[in-house]
Amino acid sequence: MAPETDSPTRLGAWLKRNRDRVLQRWEESAKQIAAGKRLDRLALLDTIPKLIDQIVAAACEVDSAASPLDAATSHALDRLNVGFELHQIVAEYGALRLAIIELLDEEKAEPPFRPSQIAVVDRIIDAAVAVAAERFSQARNRTLVALDRISLSALKGPQPKPQSVLEDLCKTLVETIEAVDTATVLMREGDLLVTKASVGLEEEQRTEFTVPLGRGYAGRIAAGHAPLSIRGEAINRIASSPVVHETPLCVLYGVPLESAGSVIGVAHMGSKSTFEFSEEDKVLFRVMATRATQVIVLARGAEQREQLVHELQRSEEELRALADNIPQLAWIADDRGNVFWYNKRWLDYTGATLDEMTGWRWQKLHHPAHLQRVVEKFKQHLASGERWEDTFPLLGKDGKYRWFLSRALPIRDSSGRVVRWFGTNTDVTEHARLEEAREQFFGILGHDLRNPLNAIVMATAILKKSVLEPGPERAVGRIASSAERMRRMIGDLLDFTRGRLGGGIPIAPKPTDLRAICRAVLDEVEAVNPERRIGFSAEGDTAGTWDDQRLGQVVQNLVSNAIQHGDSKSPILLAIDGRDPDSVTLSVSNQGSTIPAALLPDLFEPFRRLAKSGENPESGSTSLGLGLFIVAEVARAHGGQVRAESTDERGTRFEVRLPRVPPKSG
């Protein structure tokens, strides 16, 4: 009789003691197999620990209900489910054999294990490989047949239809797996699962049975993101479908249909004849459900793309219809600037046809003096993807050029890529003529009218120094007064034109003192209006960076306005508040007729005149009504604000708040 140390049980005992070391060594090798690299540790180990335990039991000649061949069958089916090939499964068993041999060799057991003892392990692993290979091949063949049927359903027609894929999945399950009597698919719609296809439970599909996520049998599967098997009484307790309750099912097995980590539906199969589906049947069901999910996702994507194409076509048709009815010339180009559509107004203006103008052939209608500049700028914006704007002359069918303001907006897809350019050309020829007229108006006001007036003013000044009779002296005085009034009107008109049409009144800020500006203006005003009482006060720091000439104009206009419209018997108050470190406030107050509240919002608009205190509003005036407009424009140019208030109790008060340093323009 062989000694105990030479019996197979000794090897079984060694394997039992070193089980974890064998697993660790096997895991290191299995991770190098391509299919194993994508599995987490739990999925990688799978049934290998159970296989080792069953090898130990077999080596120790211990009676066990489980055979190593059972573990090999489960291992083969699980590996099929995660995409292993047969040679990769064989490589896993080879890695297990090598791990055991290497550890035996490293341990240097005394006495050493005999080849006959190690042969026990070899025989068990060889048998496991044979069973795994056979079960893998059988299951894969069944799976391939089933998958072929699902794939063929996806190929019906030019585009796979999700509904036909679901119905074929149910039919294939019932026809392929002998134990399956019912097959049902529910698709997710918001927080509900809705029955879309069924064999054996057709009433569910007809009534479109629904169940909330997390409720009932299908809802639990969706919420748990995992397969669920229920048997016997548990079916009636968990399932919420009346149709399921009326069907004598022994077992239900369901899986979630997942795409990109999200549940899009649930599929389940039931049997009237067995209380448990085999592992092979479950694997086949899961693989078929996975393939069906892929086809459904593709089919849905195709439907969405088709719908998107229709929507884009409809949107483009609407855009073209809209563009055909706008007053501008319009066009559409692709992402490279090739124009492929013009609206009717564009073609009518140029007299060209669409075929003559597609691509970049529009260049022939541009003025040679501007063409290179226009093309270069357009190409720059095509490259940057920024909106384009330019002004240039465009040749019409009458052989004449007209000026157009042209703009183009990039149209982007959901990823932000430019796919189209939508452009318009707006005729600005008349605007250009107005600009030219404006420049001429500036010239007339600034030169052609001012020069003769300056000559009149100088002449009257010389005449005033001469010895004149009382009659001629009064006439010269009236001429001088009228000329000065005209000069102020021309100045106001120039300021109005610059403010309203020329981008604002220009200023030249420099360090100055508002107190000194006010004092100088008051000296001039009091000399002309000796009968009026004008009070002046200043608090705090009155220095800042301002245009002293323009602020003098502000003070002059506000004080003159108070003299003209205020009560002649009441004093005018001019005040400066420089206590704020960042700004200075100038105010002018007077008593007299109040300004109606309805007029206050428009008080600083041009050509708004108020009647003098006691004056008929319809009587003539010596001003244009631009004084307060110019006050507001000068304040705005300095980054300041102006406001007015008028009440019976406090009278009328104008306030100008100026930052000590104006913001930089531009």
Side-chain angles (χ1 to χ4, degrees):
M1 177 180 292
E4 181 65 23
T5 54
D6 290 340
S7 70
T9 58
R10 177 175 172 234
L11 178 59
W14 181 90
L15 282 171
K16 188 173 183 179
R17 290 195 309 273
N18 292 276
R19 176 180 181 273
D20 291 341
R21 293 177 62 201
V22 171
L23 274 175
Q24 182 179 0
R25 183 68 61 89
W26 174 85
E27 185 179 353
E28 293 172 356
S29 299
K31 284 181 179 178
Q32 306 307 312
I33 299 172
K37 292 180 179 179
R38 62 175 179 266
L39 301 180
D40 58 33
R41 186 171 188 272
L42 188 61
L44 181 67
L45 292 176
D46 190 39
T47 58
I48 295 299
K50 185 188 297 184
L51 178 63
I52 294 176
D53 292 340
Q54 292 174 358
I55 291 175
V56 169
C60 294
E61 298 179 347
V62 175
D63 289 337
S64 173
S67 163
L69 304 185
D70 295 334
T73 297
S74 298
H75 182 69
L77 296 176
D78 287 338
R79 287 305 191 240
L80 173 64
N81 190 38
V82 294
F84 271 60
E85 295 293 337
L86 179 58
H87 70 275
Q88 293 172 324
I89 296 176
V90 173
E92 285 190 307
Y93 284 107
L96 178 61
R97 188 197 313 269
L98 184 61
I100 294 172
I101 293 174
E102 286 180 348
L103 289 173
L104 284 172
D105 185 59
E106 292 171 7
E107 188 166 300
K108 306 294 183 184
E110 289 294 339
F113 288 101
R114 298 167 63 87
S116 59
Q117 294 172 310
I118 298 175
V120 173
V121 175
D122 285 336
R123 286 196 300 272
I124 295 173
I125 292 178
D126 287 344
V129 170
V131 169
E134 181 181 4
R135 298 303 292 144
F136 180 89
S137 298
Q138 290 175 350
R140 187 169 70 169
N141 288 339
R142 289 184 67 198
T143 302
L144 290 175
V145 170
L147 293 182
D148 282 345
R149 292 187 59 176
I150 295 175
S151 299
L152 286 173
S153 73
L155 296 176
K156 295 177 181 177
Q159 294 290 351
K161 300 298 181 184
Q163 184 60 34
S164 65
V165 174
L166 298 178
E167 292 172 355
D168 285 343
L169 171 62
C170 293
K171 292 177 183 177
T172 303
L173 279 169
V174 173
E175 294 172 3
T176 304
I177 304 177
E178 184 177 353
V180 173
D181 296 299
T182 68
T184 304
V185 180
L186 301 91
M187 298 304 295
R188 182 174 180 176
E189 295 181 2
D191 292 330
L192 296 175
L193 292 169
V194 183
T195 301
K196 293 296 183 181
S198 182
V199 171
L201 302 175
E202 288 83 0
E203 186 64 17
E204 267 198 24
Q205 179 181 351
R206 190 186 67 78
T207 60
E208 289 198 332
F209 167 76
T210 61
V211 61
L213 297 181
R215 302 285 299 276
Y217 176 58
R220 289 190 184 188
I221 295 173
H225 291 257
L228 178 61
S229 179
I230 56 175
R231 298 188 298 273
E233 289 301 322
I235 295 177
N236 290 331
R237 188 175 68 255
I238 296 175
S240 58
S241 167
V243 181
V244 171
H245 293 168
E246 295 169 1
T247 305
L249 294 175
C250 299
V251 62
L252 276 175
Y253 179 74
V255 297
L257 306 180
E258 295 186 284
S259 175
S262 298
V263 173
I264 66 170
V266 168
H268 63 73
M269 60 181 182
S271 177
K272 299 177 182 178
S273 59
T274 182
F275 282 90
E276 185 63 79
F277 288 110
S278 69
E279 284 301 317
E280 182 176 337
D281 289 343
K282 292 178 181 178
V283 169
L284 177 59
F285 179 50
R286 291 196 296 269
V287 172
M288 292 173 65
T290 300
R291 174 61 63 87
T293 301
Q294 295 169 349
V295 176
I296 291 168
V297 170
L298 290 174
R300 283 183 168 181
E303 284 186 343
Q304 291 172 354
R305 285 191 298 273
E306 186 176 353
Q307 182 179 0
L308 181 59
V309 169
H310 288 320
E311 289 177 355
L312 286 174
Q313 289 175 343
R314 186 175 66 254
S315 297
E316 193 160 290
E317 289 171 359
E318 291 174 353
L319 177 62
R320 293 183 181 186
L322 176 64
D324 264 333
N325 289 279
I326 61 176
Q328 292 93 346
L329 315 186
W331 45 271
I332 302 176
D334 63 18
D335 59 318
R336 294 177 295 176
N338 296 302
V339 180
F340 59 86
W341 180 85
Y342 297 92
N343 71 344
K344 187 175 183 298
R345 289 182 184 274
W346 202 99
L347 297 174
D348 288 345
Y349 170 76
T350 61
T353 65
L354 178 61
D355 291 339
E356 293 172 338
M357 291 290 109
T358 54
W360 288 71
R361 284 181 279 186
W362 45 263
Q363 297 179 64
K364 65 180 72 173
L365 299 178
H366 281 247
H367 196 287
H370 299 270
L371 178 60
Q372 183 177 354
R373 170 186 63 81
V374 172
V375 170
E376 289 178 356
K377 184 176 181 181
F378 187 45
K379 287 182 177 179
Q380 291 172 2
H381 286 258
L382 288 174
S384 67
E386 297 174 345
R387 60 178 296 172
W388 168 76
E389 181 175 313
D390 205 347
T391 305
F392 48 78
L394 196 61
L395 184 64
K397 62 183 178 183
D398 59 359
K400 298 178 181 179
Y401 286 96
R402 293 182 67 85
W403 283 88
F404 286 86
L405 171 63
S406 299
R407 295 187 176 102
L409 290 174
I411 300 173
R412 304 177 186 274
D413 61 16
S414 58
S415 66
R417 185 176 65 90
V418 176
V419 294
R420 294 280 192 275
W421 289 86
F422 179 74
T424 60
N425 307 99
T426 304
D427 192 335
V428 293
T429 305
E430 296 305 320
H431 177 74
R433 290 172 181 166
L434 287 174
E435 284 290 309
E436 183 179 355
R438 183 175 70 89
E439 295 300 325
Q440 293 175 354
F441 181 67
F442 270 125
I444 292 171
L445 285 178
H447 183 269
D448 296 354
L449 290 181
R450 267 186 167 176
N451 284 352
L453 276 175
N454 288 336
I456 293 172
V457 171
M458 290 176 63
T460 55
I462 294 173
L463 287 173
K464 281 183 177 181
K465 294 179 181 179
S466 304
V467 180
L468 297 173
E469 295 296 325
E473 183 178 6
R474 286 194 298 272
V476 169
R478 285 196 297 270
I479 293 172
S481 176
S482 298
E484 182 61 32
R485 192 159 55 249
M486 286 187 66
R487 187 163 66 175
R488 285 199 303 270
M489 287 183 179
I490 290 173
D492 286 351
L493 278 173
L494 274 173
D495 287 339
F496 163 73
T497 307
R498 292 192 185 99
R500 184 52 60 93
L501 303 178
I505 291 178
I507 60 172
K510 62 182 179 180
T512 189
D513 191 327
L514 187 56
R515 186 198 307 261
I517 294 172
C518 289
R519 189 70 268 171
V521 172
L522 285 180
D523 288 344
E524 295 177 6
V525 172
E526 288 173 337
V528 179
N529 302 276
E531 75 284 358
R532 297 305 298 267
R533 288 179 296 158
I534 304 175
F536 176 54
S537 65
E539 293 183 86
D541 182 6
T542 58
T545 302
W546 305 301
D547 187 323
D548 56 347
Q549 297 297 319
R550 289 298 185 186
L551 288 193
Q553 196 175 4
V554 168
V555 177
Q556 174 83 41
N557 287 356
L558 289 177
V559 173
S560 298
N561 185 75
I563 292 173
Q564 184 177 1
H565 300 288
D567 183 1
S568 61
K569 297 178 181 179
S570 301
I572 297 169
L573 301 178
L574 173 62
I576 305 173
D577 185 351
R579 292 173 295 177
D580 190 302
D582 299 320
S583 63
V584 177
T585 300
L586 169 73
S587 65
V588 176
S589 306
N590 64 270
Q591 296 296 321
S593 300
T594 58
I595 303 172
L599 297 181
L600 287 174
D602 299 325
L603 200 57
F604 297 97
E605 290 298 313
F607 307 113
R608 294 291 194 274
R609 290 188 56 253
L610 296 173
K612 296 180 182 179
S613 183
E615 177 190 60
N616 182 351
E618 300 301 323
S619 65
S621 174
T622 58
S623 72
L624 293 172
L626 292 173
L628 294 180
F629 169 77
I630 292 170
V631 168
E633 287 295 309
V634 172
R636 188 177 295 114
H638 283 86
Q641 297 176 332
V642 61
R643 69 185 188 92
E645 58 183 12
S646 186
T647 63
D648 292 332
E649 297 79 13
R650 300 178 60 183
T652 299
R653 183 174 184 269
F654 287 87
E655 179 183 285
V656 179
R657 183 180 296 273
L658 300 168
R660 292 189 185 272
V661 179
K664 293 182 179 180
S665 61

